[in-house]
Structures are given as structure tokens and as C-alpha cells.
Amino acid sequence: SDIPLREVSSVPFAYIEETRGGLTQTFSVPYEVWVLNISVTADKKPQYAMFRMVLCDAKGNILDGAEIQYPGTMYKVVGTSGTGMYMIISTDSVDSFRISMETPLRIYEKDRPAT
């Protein structure tokens, strides 16, 4: 897990909440700094729980990854923006997981579209 950003508050702008792994659709993030806040729940067989995630760019290059054995959480700071990305997610004996994509409030306010 990475060291959390020294921000007072962050803004979630997207999330994935699932019980099974798979391949996400291609997405792009406009923020220069953002994080993956990952939480894994495994009540039925916690001793066997395994969560793996790989973040790739649209060309298939690995940008980052995460592995959580047993229930738990992980925090990953990502510095890639403005390019197509996707995730490959694998689960074993996991009841559910949530990946929240968040950016610091100061960056969100600077980069959000004018209304």
C-alpha cells in the first residue's frame, strides 16, 4: 500500500463494487493525481481470500497493481491521467470488493468543468 496523500479531504469520482473479478471497460481519468482506495470483504472463508488487480494502459502496459491476501484495504497513488486505461481483476474466496477512485479536493476543484 502507498502512503496516503496528505490531503484533508478527497473526492470520489468513480467506483467499482463487485463480487467477481473480470476486465473493466477502458476509461480515462482527467486528474493529474488520483488514488485507488481498495477494500476487500471475505466473511465466508477469510483465510483463503485473495484479490489481485492490475491497472494497464490501453496498449497493455502495466501501470500499477495490487494484491490483498485475506480481507483488508489498500491505497494506491496513481500519476497517470488523460490516457485510456483498464483493470484486470482476479478474486478467490472474496465475498465482495470495492475500488473507489478518488482525487484530492484541491485538484478536483481546479480541474472540474465549469458549470
Side-chain angles (χ1 to χ4, degrees), residues 48-62:
Y48 300 117
M50 176 65 78
F51 171 90
R52 291 184 178 111
M53 181 278 306
V54 177
L55 177 66
C56 300
D57 67 15
K59 296 176 185 175
N61 299 313
I62 296 173

Side-chain angles (χ1 to χ4, degrees), residues 41-50 69-71 93 95:
T41 304
D43 294 327
K44 295 176 188 167
K45 297 181 181 178
Q47 68 275 24
Y48 300 117
M50 176 65 78
Q69 294 179 336
Y70 311 109
S93 298
D95 296 334

